[in-house]
Amino acid sequence: MSTIADPFTSGPVLSSTGPGVVAAADSLMAAVSAVDKLGSCSADYDALSDAELLAGQRDLARLRGLVETRSVWLAKTLAHRSRRELGQEGLAARQGFLSPDELIQEMTGSTRQDARKLVDVGRMLGDAEAAQEAQAARAAQAEDESAIAPGLFDEFTPLEEPVALPWHAPISDAVSTGALSVAAAHAIRTGLGDIDSVVTGQTLADAVRTLLEESRRMNVDALLKRSRRMRDSLDEAGIAIREQKAWDDRYLRVWKTPAGQVHIHGLFPPEQGEFIVSVYDSLTGPRRGGVRFVDPDRAAWAKAVQDDPRSTEQIAADTFIDLLKAGAEVNPNRMLGGRTPAVRVLTTEPDQRPVRRPAPAPVAASAPEPDDILVAIPDGTGHGYIEGNPAPVSKESIDRLICTSGTVEVVFDTDGQPLNLGREERIFSQAQRLALAARDGGCRWGTCDRPPSQTEAHHLEHWARDHGHTDIRLGILLCPPHHRLLHAQGWQIFEHHGRYWSRPPASVDPGQVLIELRSNSPTAPR
């Protein structure tokens, strides 16, 4: 069986006379024939037995895989013939399209996303084939040189670096053979990301081998999540960088239409975004078939929401305005809210016996609500995940969230069965928060003028490290940006006889000179 040398033709294309062409054609025709035998109308399919239906689904999946493999080969070639350096002479440009994605979308009627996946996987396939061809050419050249004058070229010709295959080459091979779908290949590739200073090509190649083995037992959504989390575990240092990028990219834009209507458009980092989603879900859940409430008052509220003549979107819009009014009318010298979502810590006991723990002391905060945002910290990792969001949360952000919320410890045995469920602790009561507002007068960081209503209560003693207590003396008000800065950069705050001092990290001040944090309260001593 011979192959065409150009790595950008259309996959590992077989020569027109090779026996592999007949085998490939027979396989495709056999799959087409099997599907065609199922029938030509809906009534034919209704008449199939259960066994025939299941067999037909397998035949259809096999045919789809064979067609999909050829779609990738075609997309790869279209992309190569439409590459940027060809300019207006590229194939897509000559057909009136700005990119091969648009050309494929127009010709197939697919979504832009599906067309882009085909092109991305096709390009990945082309990169792998180009490297394989270069390897083969290098080997052939070395063989020819050795045959002409054995040992001569070894003495006078400097050794060339061997051509390394891309780390994603096994993904390309799996797609070419039909063992991996385009969607699965794209999930692994995008989930693992790219090589950087921390994650090497060899590290990603090892991860690919693991994921290809696991892909047989996963759907595409699960495979994407697994790939992303594997990348997170390989590059925990990069989590904080990506997290900061998400915060830097946040925005909210408001503009008016000629008719006087107002548009709102925004982008929020996962932490803020999941809070917005949780509020929306709690407001519209009953309308969308949410939880059934046993409590009579909550049940009556849910019934009122269901019977409300407004649409779900109208309820959300009106409630958003109510929230803005409440925030605008609040006394800025009072603290808003008595609690924030809990941080759920997942740990595994070394044995499988139930663990008895002393019951925590009662606290004034309420128990977790069904619509809490919970941050899960998998055992043995330095990062966590906000429930319902695939983006990882750095250790520094988890420490900050624990400062203003509680922890719920969920203990598992080695078989993954939950043994023990703790409950929230580490929360300042409403009375304590009011006392903090009166004492601090708002954020105490430098010259910050944020009022108490825009602050969070920071615990001076680290919850896990120092076994910190929820004590007014050991709490201080910080606005969210300064609270994030403190945890992200490693600042520390100390209390001494009622005065508070911050110590900068050595990266900010090598001498780490203490800075006094003065109260903004008008009644504080000066």
Side-chain angles (χ1 to χ4, degrees):
M1 182 175 65
S2 59
T3 59
I4 298 174
D6 182 6
F8 291 104
T9 47
S10 55
V13 179
L14 306 175
S15 67
S16 59
T17 57
V21 172
V22 179
D26 286 348
S27 178
L28 180 61
M29 294 308 297
V32 171
S33 177
V35 172
D36 187 57
K37 289 178 181 177
L38 295 174
S40 57
C41 65
S42 176
D44 292 340
Y45 283 74
D46 291 338
L48 296 175
S49 66
D50 290 350
E52 289 171 330
L53 278 175
L54 295 175
Q57 187 63 58
R58 286 191 290 270
D59 291 334
L60 190 61
R62 187 171 78 252
L63 176 59
R64 184 182 294 113
L66 291 168
V67 172
E68 198 173 54
T69 299
R70 285 154 177 79
S71 298
V72 172
W73 294 344
L74 197 64
K76 180 203 68 176
T77 307
L78 281 172
H80 180 66
R81 296 183 184 177
S82 306
R83 60 193 184 278
R84 188 183 302 274
E85 57 264 32
L86 295 178
Q88 296 302 313
E89 295 303 314
L91 178 57
R94 285 188 280 113
Q95 300 298 315
F97 297 95
L98 297 178
S99 67
D101 313 22
E102 292 185 2
L103 172 60
I104 292 175
Q105 182 186 16
E106 177 68 23
M107 296 187 70
T108 61
S110 62
T111 65
R112 171 65 66 86
Q113 184 180 19
D114 287 341
R116 185 168 297 150
K117 283 181 182 179
L118 277 175
V119 172
D120 288 345
V121 174
R123 284 174 173 150
M124 180 171 60
L125 199 70
D127 291 342
E129 290 176 5
Q132 289 169 346
E133 291 293 333
Q135 273 190 342
R138 183 73 55 81
Q141 180 184 3
E143 185 176 345
D144 291 342
E145 291 172 351
S146 178
I148 294 171
L152 178 62
F153 290 95
D154 293 339
E155 182 176 355
F156 294 104
T157 305
L159 293 176
E160 297 185 24
E161 289 291 330
V163 178
L165 292 179
W167 63 266
H168 50 69
I171 305 177
S172 303
D173 293 341
V175 173
S176 293
T177 60
L180 194 69
S181 69
V182 170
H186 192 263
I188 295 175
R189 177 65 183 84
T190 55
L192 288 180
D194 295 309
I195 296 173
D196 60 23
S197 58
V198 176
V199 181
T200 65
Q202 184 57 53
T203 302
L204 291 176
D206 294 339
V208 165
R209 283 192 289 270
T210 300
L211 290 169
L212 287 178
E213 179 64 29
E214 295 178 355
S215 67
R216 303 172 185 175
R217 304 181 297 274
M218 291 185 181
N219 59 37
V220 173
D221 291 337
L223 187 59
L224 176 59
K225 183 182 294 185
R226 175 78 173 100
S227 302
R228 282 176 172 168
R229 294 196 171 179
M230 184 172 286
R231 174 66 189 222
D232 295 336
S233 66
L234 294 173
D235 183 20
E236 286 196 335
I239 291 175
I241 298 174
R242 295 190 292 273
E243 194 175 56
Q244 184 59 46
K245 177 67 165 55
W247 280 96
D248 292 342
D249 289 344
R250 72 188 186 280
Y251 68 83
L252 182 66
R253 300 189 185 115
V254 181
W255 71 94
K256 287 183 181 180
T257 68
Q261 294 172 304
V262 176
H263 276 273
I264 298 177
H265 187 269
L267 181 68
F268 299 89
E271 185 181 326
Q272 290 182 333
E274 289 302 325
F275 179 76
I276 294 172
V277 170
S278 72
V279 172
Y280 177 83
D281 287 344
S282 67
L283 295 173
T284 60
R287 175 62 64 85
R288 295 181 292 116
V291 64
R292 295 184 179 182
F293 298 98
V294 178
D295 178 79
D297 292 336
R298 294 286 282 172
W301 168 79
K303 184 66 165 58
V305 173
Q306 290 175 329
D307 295 341
D308 195 309
R310 295 173 295 175
S311 68
T312 301
E313 291 76 13
Q314 288 172 335
I315 291 175
D318 292 346
T319 308
F320 176 68
I321 297 299
D322 292 339
L323 290 173
L324 290 180
K325 288 180 179 178
E329 295 170 359
V330 72
N331 181 347
N333 293 318
R334 291 179 64 89
M335 296 285 286
L336 279 177
R339 60 184 302 278
T340 54
V343 176
R344 180 159 54 188
V345 182
L346 310 182
T347 59
T348 304
E349 290 292 335
D351 55 39
Q352 299 183 16
R353 292 171 297 177
V355 179
R356 298 186 179 278
R357 302 179 184 275
V363 291
S366 60
E369 294 292 334
D371 55 355
D372 272 345
I373 312 166
L374 297 177
V375 180
I377 312 173
D379 190 28
T381 66
H383 60 276
Y385 294 90
I386 296 175
E387 268 194 340
N389 196 297
V393 180
S394 67
K395 182 65 166 59
E396 293 79 10
S397 290
I398 292 172
D399 289 341
R400 173 174 52 81
L401 289 170
I402 290 175
C403 265
T404 54
S405 68
T407 58
V408 178
E409 184 178 10
V410 186
V411 182
F412 293 88
D413 62 20
T414 53
D415 289 333
Q417 297 298 325
L419 295 174
N420 181 73
L421 177 64
R423 68 182 183 84
E424 280 186 279
E425 305 172 3
R426 185 68 166 167
I427 306 172
F428 283 104
S429 68
Q430 183 65 30
Q432 287 176 314
R433 290 168 65 87
L434 290 174
L436 288 173
R439 186 198 70 191
D440 294 346
C443 177
R444 290 185 68 151
W445 190 280
T447 58
C448 184
D449 60 358
R450 294 283 189 97
S453 59
Q454 298 178 27
T455 60
E456 301 168 343
H458 169 70
H459 284 73
L460 272 60
E461 291 186 352
H462 192 280
W463 179 234
R465 183 190 64 217
D466 304 325
H467 306 286
H469 298 286
T470 303
D471 189 321
I472 293 177
R473 182 180 61 84
L474 300 176
I476 188 172
L477 297 186
L478 297 174
C479 66
H482 284 132
H483 201 178
R484 286 196 303 272
L485 184 148
L486 179 143
H487 284 281
Q489 295 190 8
W491 288 69
Q492 290 180 293
I493 297 180
F494 305 95
E495 181 270 342
H496 183 67
H497 295 305
R499 298 172 69 182
Y500 294 85
W501 309 79
S502 66
R503 182 171 69 188
S507 59
V508 175
D509 178 11
Q512 295 189 294
V513 177
L514 295 180
I515 304 169
E516 185 170 6
L517 303 178
R518 300 186 180 278
S519 171
N520 291 315
S521 172
T523 60
R526 299 298 173 185

